[in-house]
Amino acid sequence: MDLRSLVWRTDLFFHRFVGEILSRQEYLVIRTPSNPAFYWGNFLLFFAPPAAGDVERWRALFRKEIAADLPVRHEAFGWDAPEGGSAVVEPFLRQGFTLSSQVGLVARHPVVAPHPAEGVRVRALEGDEDWQNLLENQQVELPEGEDPAGYAAYLVRRMKNYRRMAQEGHGAWFGAFLGKQMVGDLGLFFEGTVGRFQEVETHPLFRRRGICGTLVAEASRHAREVWGVDTLVLAAERGETAERLYLALGFRPTESLETLLQSPAAAR
């Protein structure tokens, strides 16, 4: 079944490269055996939102399709409903799941930073030193409830896959540099003329300086001029600072995206 959501379709860029996608009658099984701690690399993507009575059935399907073969410690579900609509999520919330509500954003025109950051140079990462700096940047702020050692191991595996994608010509990871210091980074990968952003991050000590906007704009320019990309896609938490930034850059909201996650901490 073809997915209606452009965000989910572009997500599959990465799962096809580093994991596996199995098609069932009412859902897709997304698995990344090399990185079982990757929540959104090991999940079920349904073709319709959860309805009354689905919580136990969905959880049983997750155990069958993913947890039976991989040492995962989470459960995660998404659904293909770009128009939004009524999802029955309360039974999941009562069982320790967290609902994430995101907005899919698209730019089909040149992206220009309204306030370019002075002295910042944006370029694609190159050697081992760049990628090591990236790993350090991505761990400055640990996600709530994550074990530092476990998160570091997960991140090493994930960034190794992104680096391989870049080396094989599917995109690049970009850094924003002040002198030699990496103060922001993001991934941008593509299939055909569609590009998808990943993990846009600014170092906490350098926020509110226009660095993120400059980084997104420069990476977008590279994608258009070098790769021939004409459609840029990203997702942001609804109502948060990142969404407002992307709107200021000229991205336009095109769809809704909701997911449910029970993290290892919540499961405990």
Side-chain angles (χ1 to χ4, degrees):
M1 179 175 179
D2 292 332
L3 297 174
R4 294 179 296 131
S5 162
L6 182 58
V7 172
W8 282 126
R9 292 204 305 272
T10 53
D11 254 14
L12 298 188
F13 292 178
F14 308 97
H15 303 311
R16 282 194 292 269
F17 187 83
V18 303
E20 56 191 30
I21 304 169
L22 307 176
S23 182
R24 306 293 189 235
Q25 184 174 356
E26 60 174 323
Y27 59 90
L28 298 179
V29 182
I30 313 295
R31 294 162 37 112
T32 309
S34 63
N35 198 358
F38 180 16
Y39 302 154
W40 296 109
N42 297 282
F43 70 104
L44 300 184
L45 175 56
F46 285 83
F47 301 137
D54 273 345
V55 61
E56 297 301 340
R57 188 173 66 88
W58 281 28
R59 297 191 70 183
L61 288 170
F62 185 91
R63 291 190 292 271
K64 172 187 173 183
E65 299 280 16
I66 296 177
D69 297 321
L70 298 176
V72 298
R73 298 169 51 236
H74 71 280
E75 293 181 29
F77 305 105
W79 51 93
D80 183 31
E83 71 287 348
S86 56
V88 181
V89 300
E90 289 78 8
F92 291 89
L93 303 182
R94 289 196 293 269
Q95 295 191 25
F97 283 80
T98 299
L99 176 69
S100 172
S101 180
Q102 295 185 307
V103 58
L105 298 137
V106 173
R108 293 188 171 92
H109 50 76
V111 175
V112 179
H115 305 289
E118 293 186 8
V120 170
R121 182 168 64 102
V122 175
R123 63 169 174 81
L125 304 194
E126 296 169 350
D128 292 344
E129 182 178 356
D130 276 353
W131 285 90
Q132 181 58 41
N133 288 340
L134 166 64
L135 284 171
E136 294 170 3
N137 256 26
Q138 290 279 334
Q139 294 177 75
V140 171
E141 288 188 320
L142 194 68
E144 185 177 355
E146 294 290 349
D147 166 65
Y151 186 75
Y154 144 79
L155 199 61
V156 166
R157 289 191 289 267
R158 193 169 184 203
M159 292 303 163
K160 181 179 179 181
N161 288 330
Y162 282 132
R163 187 175 185 179
R164 187 160 63 91
M165 288 185 73
Q167 290 171 336
E168 294 188 18
H170 300 289
W173 207 277
F174 294 87
F177 293 85
L178 274 173
K180 292 185 177 181
Q181 183 172 3
M182 186 186 297
V183 295
D185 65 86
L186 61 78
L188 181 51
F189 297 86
F190 67 97
E191 281 189 358
T193 60
V194 179
R196 174 67 188 270
F197 285 93
Q198 295 283 277
E199 308 293 342
V200 182
E201 185 67 40
T202 304
H203 192 288
L205 296 178
F206 295 90
R207 289 175 183 164
R208 301 185 183 279
R209 302 189 189 185
I211 290 170
C212 185
T214 301
L215 180 59
V216 172
E218 286 300 304
S220 300
R221 182 187 58 78
H222 180 98
R224 288 182 175 278
E225 294 179 0
V226 178
W227 303 330
V229 166
D230 60 21
T231 302
L232 295 160
V233 183
L234 49 76
E237 291 293 328
R238 190 177 298 278
E240 296 296 329
T241 301
E243 181 190 4
R244 293 191 290 272
L245 168 67
Y246 301 138
L247 292 174
L249 287 168
F251 285 81
R252 292 293 174 260
T254 59
E255 62 186 68
S256 294
L257 182 78
E258 290 187 321
T259 59
L260 286 161
L261 170 68
Q262 186 189 75
S263 69
R268 287 196 297 270

